[in-house]
Amino acid sequence: MAWVLKMDDATIESGLVHDFDASLSGIGQELGAGAYSMSDVLALPIFKQEDSNLPPESKTKNPPFQYVLCAATSPAVKLHDETLTYLNQGQSYEIRMLDNRKAGELPELNNKMVKSTVRVVFHDRRLQYTEHQQLEGWKWNRPGDRLLDIDIPMSVGIVEPKTHSSQLNAAEFLWDMNKRTSVFVQVHCISTEFTPRKHGGEKGVPFRIQIDTFTQGDGGEYTEHLHSASCQIKVFKPKGADRKQKTDREKMEKRTPQEKEKYQPSYDTTILSECSPWPDAAYTSTSQAATPSFTSTPLSTYTTSSVLDSDSSSPNHQADPGGHGNSEQLSPTASIQDAQKWLLKNRFSSYTRLFSHFSGSDLLKLTRDDLVQICGPADGIRLFNALKSRSVRPRLTVYVCQESPQGSPLLERHCTIENGEHRSSASLHVYHALYLEELTAAELIRKIASVCDIPLGRIHQVYRQGPTGIHILLSDQMVYNLSDESCFLISTVKDELGEGLHLILK
């Protein structure tokens, strides 16, 4: 048998309200007069500390300028990421220069001209470090062209537009904040020109358009920085930006509404966001004192000693006349100063500033791909080979010992026999190793003279003693056919006049 309790809705509702009110009736009574309020909680030290980090509304600075690039942003950019704008190579794009000051803010700028510098720079930090090398490579492939130009006929309100031959990626102009101003810029480099060619269809690198604005200082020069802003762009071949924008838009249309919420909407214009000012000396060859590392040393400025030192990087170079060592290698324990000296000695002076904080171990950890991306293909491979080079095996090794009655090269020693007895009659012949690369008689004679401490001019003839005791004049063919690691005991014979010497290789 089942019991069913029947209650109408009014009875249930009144009971729930009564129980709920009763359950809340005692809350807070045990706290008494010391009950916490929300204002008391917010007054705790931890909340005070967090509050102090937030600037009050009255102190938030309004940027004095706003720059708007009249090009649509990509819809395929996720929320909280920086906007990305696609541009066509060589097409003129308007950048509106807007006065964004509040009433009464910066009155000293009223009725004054300001100077703005617009430039196209790399977005990737690694490419920023090698900007000079990247732009020089682009200049080599595109002689006479510029990365950035101002379309003067279309621009409005700009005064004295200038470009410098030493700054292919920048242009400057004056403008009046009280007048409508728009500058039209053209970017001539495309993003894939700075991508290493590997498999085709490479993804282009992003650039930045940055504008830095200055006002006049006490000396009349526009040196006092006012504002800087930039935005991220990618540059395609003509009409390529339109196709890319269309492709991104079609991809977004295929996404679900939940996926679309993770992406930014596309805007018709791009607002440049505030950033740090760009260092003026980043790519200015006219200011050599400020950027010594960005000026390549002409060949004519090398002294004889520096050329000799730089030749030591050749694998065939031998550091000492006797051929006992190769070029000086960079040690993993080298300090930053030693690494800088090594770069200068091995003709990498243009990279001393780039690696100004690298020790020997830091440089040796860089891979071949790292160096190629940082320094470009030519210098990157050369620097990698210099860092990782090993001693090259010589073509021929010869061991020689000078025979002398005084026993200067013959060291007397005691030899231990197996039964423990000692003999003093045994003598040790000390040989010198000569490493030959050219395999010529002149090379062998020169190195023999060095290890035997004989002036080269005193050596008249060099002979090799044959199997029957005959003396055979040393020739290039004979040296070429010597077996590797041959050993010779050298005896010296004075000529009839007593002025020169004849060397005999036994």
Side-chain angles (χ1 to χ4, degrees):
M1 179 180 293
W3 294 91
V4 178
L5 181 61
K6 293 185 177 180
M7 299 179 66
D8 57 0
D9 294 340
T11 306
I12 295 174
E13 195 170 316
S14 62
L16 287 175
V17 172
H18 175 76
D19 291 341
F20 184 73
D21 291 340
S23 64
L24 296 178
S25 60
I27 292 181
Q29 291 180 0
E30 68 275 11
L31 297 178
Y36 286 106
S37 65
M38 185 56 67
S39 59
D40 295 331
V41 173
L42 293 177
L44 291 174
I46 55 171
F47 292 100
K48 284 185 177 181
Q49 185 176 1
E50 291 183 0
D51 257 355
S52 63
N53 294 332
L54 299 174
E57 291 186 7
S58 60
K59 293 185 178 180
T60 54
K61 287 189 64 178
N62 194 49
F65 305 99
Q66 191 174 63
Y67 316 121
V68 180
L69 172 63
C70 295
T73 61
S74 169
V77 177
K78 290 188 176 182
L79 292 173
H80 310 299
D81 286 351
E82 186 179 7
T83 60
L84 176 61
T85 305
Y86 303 132
L87 304 182
N88 289 316
Q89 179 189 20
Q91 182 173 329
S92 296
Y93 288 92
E94 179 186 8
I95 300 179
R96 296 172 184 168
M97 315 291 290
L98 305 177
D99 183 359
N100 198 37
R101 294 176 298 167
K102 293 180 180 179
E105 187 179 9
L106 298 176
E108 64 274 12
L109 296 180
N110 293 334
N111 303 320
K112 280 191 175 183
M113 302 285 284
V114 293
K115 185 183 82 170
S116 289
T117 301
V118 56
R119 51 170 51 87
V120 56
V121 295
F122 292 108
H123 173 75
D124 294 339
R125 185 58 57 91
R126 180 174 289 186
L127 291 175
Q128 290 178 12
Y129 289 146
T130 61
E131 180 182 278
H132 173 72
Q133 288 75 27
Q134 299 290 340
L135 299 188
E136 283 295 326
W138 188 89
K139 179 181 177 181
W140 177 266
N141 295 323
R142 304 268 297 272
D145 289 350
R146 292 183 53 83
L147 284 87
L148 180 75
D149 268 325
I150 294 179
D151 191 342
I152 298 177
M154 294 189 66
S155 299
V156 177
I158 66 172
V159 180
E160 299 181 14
K162 295 179 182 178
T163 58
H164 299 283
S165 59
S166 61
Q167 291 182 300
L168 302 178
N169 62 329
E172 62 183 41
F173 55 90
L174 301 178
W175 59 286
D176 190 344
M177 300 173 60
N178 299 319
K179 297 180 180 179
R180 175 175 173 263
T181 303
S182 289
V183 58
F184 282 76
V185 297
Q186 299 171 339
V187 182
H188 299 291
C189 58
I190 59 177
S191 294
T192 52
E193 287 184 287
F194 300 94
T195 303
R197 300 295 190 268
K198 291 183 180 180
H199 310 292
E202 285 78 16
K203 188 176 181 181
V205 301
F207 300 126
R208 303 194 70 81
I209 285 183
Q210 176 158 339
I211 300 178
D212 302 285
T213 300
F214 304 86
T215 185
Q216 281 183 314
D218 296 334
E221 298 292 330
Y222 290 91
T223 55
E224 292 189 10
H225 177 260
L226 290 174
H227 181 252
S228 293
S230 65
C231 66
Q232 184 181 194
I233 63 169
K234 276 192 175 182
V235 185
F236 297 82
K237 290 183 178 180
K239 297 187 178 180
D242 305 323
R243 291 192 294 269
K244 178 62 175 172
Q245 186 80 0
K246 181 181 178 182
T247 301
D248 286 357
R249 188 168 56 251
E250 292 174 349
K251 287 182 179 179
M252 293 305 301
E253 290 174 354
K254 295 178 181 178
R255 296 184 181 273
T256 63
Q258 291 78 10
E259 291 177 333
K260 289 181 181 179
E261 292 178 355
K262 300 178 182 178
Y263 290 85
Q264 301 179 18
S266 177
Y267 298 99
D268 293 336
T269 58
T270 305
I271 298 178
L272 279 65
S273 56
E274 286 191 281
C275 64
S276 301
W278 190 261
D280 289 337
Y283 185 54
T284 307
S285 60
T286 55
S287 178
Q288 297 184 2
T291 58
S293 61
F294 286 159
T295 55
S296 302
T297 308
L299 185 62
S300 59
T301 62
Y302 284 106
T303 60
T304 306
S305 59
S306 65
V307 172
L308 292 175
D309 287 342
S310 64
D311 288 342
S312 65
S313 61
S314 170
N316 295 333
H317 174 77
Q318 294 176 345
D320 61 301
H324 294 292
N326 285 347
S327 61
E328 180 185 354
Q329 301 297 318
L330 182 64
S331 171
T333 60
S335 63
I336 294 177
Q337 291 77 13
D338 293 335
Q340 292 286 297
K341 292 177 182 178
W342 184 89
L343 290 170
L344 289 171
K345 184 176 181 180
N346 289 274
R347 294 174 295 169
F348 295 105
S349 58
S350 58
Y351 301 100
T352 51
R353 182 178 179 183
L354 179 64
F355 298 115
S356 59
H357 300 292
F358 281 65
S359 63
S361 61
D362 294 332
L363 286 173
L364 292 169
K365 288 176 184 176
L366 295 174
T367 65
R368 184 178 185 272
D369 291 340
D370 291 337
L371 293 171
V372 167
Q373 190 168 3
I374 292 173
C375 306
D379 286 341
I381 294 174
R382 189 168 70 89
L383 179 54
F384 176 79
N385 291 337
L387 289 170
K388 310 295 182 181
S389 63
R390 297 293 183 267
S391 298
V392 179
R393 181 177 176 82
R395 298 176 65 186
L396 180 66
T397 302
V398 176
Y399 300 97
V400 297
C401 176
Q402 184 179 7
E403 186 179 44
S404 175
Q406 289 79 13
S408 57
L410 305 176
L411 304 179
E412 296 294 332
R413 71 172 185 177
H414 292 282
C415 296
T416 304
I417 312 300
E418 291 182 0
N419 57 10
E421 296 180 0
H422 292 79
R423 296 170 54 186
S424 60
S425 59
S427 56
L428 175 66
H429 294 272
V430 179
Y431 283 80
H432 294 274
L434 307 183
Y435 303 101
L436 305 183
E437 295 288 351
E438 301 173 4
L439 300 185
T440 60
E443 181 187 19
L444 179 58
I445 294 172
R446 185 174 67 252
K447 294 187 176 181
I448 288 176
S450 175
V451 298
C452 294
D453 199 19
I454 302 173
L456 190 60
R458 292 195 62 195
I459 301 176
H460 284 185
Q461 298 290 347
V462 178
Y463 306 96
R464 182 183 179 187
Q465 186 170 309
T468 58
I470 62 174
H471 294 163
I472 307 169
L473 185 65
L474 188 69
S475 63
D476 292 346
Q477 188 175 5
M478 184 185 298
V479 175
Y480 185 82
N481 287 281
L482 286 176
S483 59
D484 197 22
E485 298 188 353
S486 299
C487 299
F488 297 103
L489 191 63
I490 301 175
S491 61
T492 58
V493 179
K494 292 184 179 181
D495 62 5
E496 297 177 355
L497 299 177
E499 296 177 355
L501 297 174
H502 299 288
L503 305 185
I504 303 174
L505 307 180
K506 298 181 181 179

